Structure formats: structure tokens, C-alpha cells
């Protein structure tokens, strides 16, 4: 039995008139694929991707920023992300996302942020066969 889960990442720059600087995404992380998961092996599968932000505008250096995600389309609560089976929409597969959600960057400087996604082996050992997907939206502010 093989399971092919995929996470699709989306980006949204959030600007606020209360800040002198604004931050935006420079590059899209794209699709994060876990490949074929083999329940017979049952090991944790970890994948990483990178997104890049850049801050510009008036005000002091460095710019303090925050990044947040919406836990995907099928989440069941805070930090409870899950992918949905494409062929059988009542079947789900839990996963987690980790990244540095805040920090500082000098204006006009690109900053790469690593996103790590994990599917635990114990989660997919009894999963329904097929392809799974989810879309996670990230926001950056200011």
C-alpha cells in the first residue's frame, strides 16, 4: 500500500498602516511533497522547503516581523493540520508544520525561512490508500 500526500503552500502579505515598514514574500515555497509513504516501513517522514521574505519602507532597522499559518483547509484546531484524501474526501492524514514565526531582518535584505513538515509513521500506518493534499496559507506582517 502506498500513500502519496502533498501539501500546497500559499502566501499572503499582510500590511498594516500602523507600521512604517512592510514585509512581503519574495519567493513561493511551492508544493511540499512527502512522496510515497510505505505503511510497512512506518517511519516518520520529514520534508523541508524555504520561503523568502523582504521588508522595506520607512522606520528603524531592523524590522521585526511575524509569520503565521492557517493550519490548512482541513485543520481540526490550532496546530492540528491534516490532509484530505483526493478520491475519498472523508479520509484524512495528520501532519505538522514547524518554522520560526518571528524575528527581525534589515530592510531590503532577503531572509530565508525554513518550513519543516512531518508525517509521523504511526499516523499513516492505517491510512486509507491514495493521494492526500492540503493548502496552507502563510501571512507575514508588518
Amino acid at each position: 500500500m502506498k500513500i502519496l500526500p502533498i501539501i500546497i503552500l500559499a502566501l499572503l502579505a499582510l500590511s498594516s498602516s500602523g507600521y512604517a515598514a512592510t514585509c512581503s514574500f519574495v519567493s513561493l515555497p511551492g508544493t511540499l511533497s512527502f512522496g510515497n509513504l510505505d505503511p510497512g516501513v512506518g517511519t516518520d517522514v520529514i520534508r523541508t522547503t524555504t520561503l523568502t521574505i523582504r521588508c522595506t519602507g520607512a522606520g528603524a532597522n531592523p524590522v521585526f516581523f511575524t509569520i503565521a499559518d492557517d493550519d490548512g483547509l482541513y485543520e481540526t484546531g490550532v496546530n492540528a493540520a491534516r490532509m484530505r484524501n483526493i478520491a475519498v474526501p472523508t479520509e484524512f492524514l495528520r501532519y505538522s508544520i514547524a518554522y520560526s514565526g518571528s524575528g527581525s531582518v534589515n530592510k531590503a535584505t532577503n531572509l530565508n525561512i525554513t518550513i519543516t513538515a512531518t508525517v509521523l509513521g504511526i499516523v499513516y500506518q492505517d491510512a486509507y490508500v491514495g493521494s492526500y493534499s492540503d493548502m496552507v496559507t502563510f501571512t507575514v506582517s508588518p
Side-chain angles (χ1 to χ4, degrees), residues 5 20 26 30 40 45 92 108 127 139:
V26 175
V45 180
F92 296 91
T139 57

Side-chain angles (χ1 to χ4, degrees), residues 4 6 84-89 91 130-133:
L4 179 65
I6 300 169
R84 185 173 73 175
N85 188 296
I86 293 171
V88 184
E91 294 293 325
S131 295
Y132 290 75
S133 71

Side-chain angles (χ1 to χ4, degrees), residues 1-3 85 87-88 91-92 124 126-132:
M1 172 170 54
K2 300 284 185 186
I3 303 166
N85 188 296
V88 184
E91 294 293 325
F92 296 91
Y124 70 84
D126 295 323
Y128 196 87
V129 175
S131 295
Y132 290 75

Side-chain angles (χ1 to χ4, degrees), residues 19-72:
Y19 294 97
T22 59
C23 297
S24 59
F25 293 101
V26 175
S27 68
L28 301 174
T31 300
L32 182 61
S33 176
F34 287 99
N36 290 323
L37 304 178
D38 184 349
V41 176
T43 58
D44 297 352
V45 180
I46 301 168
R47 298 290 186 262
T48 61
T49 189
T50 303
L51 63 83
T52 305
I53 66 167
R54 177 186 284 251
C55 300
T56 59
N61 253 336
V63 175
F64 294 94
F65 67 88
T66 59
I67 296 178
D69 69 83
D70 67 354
D71 289 321

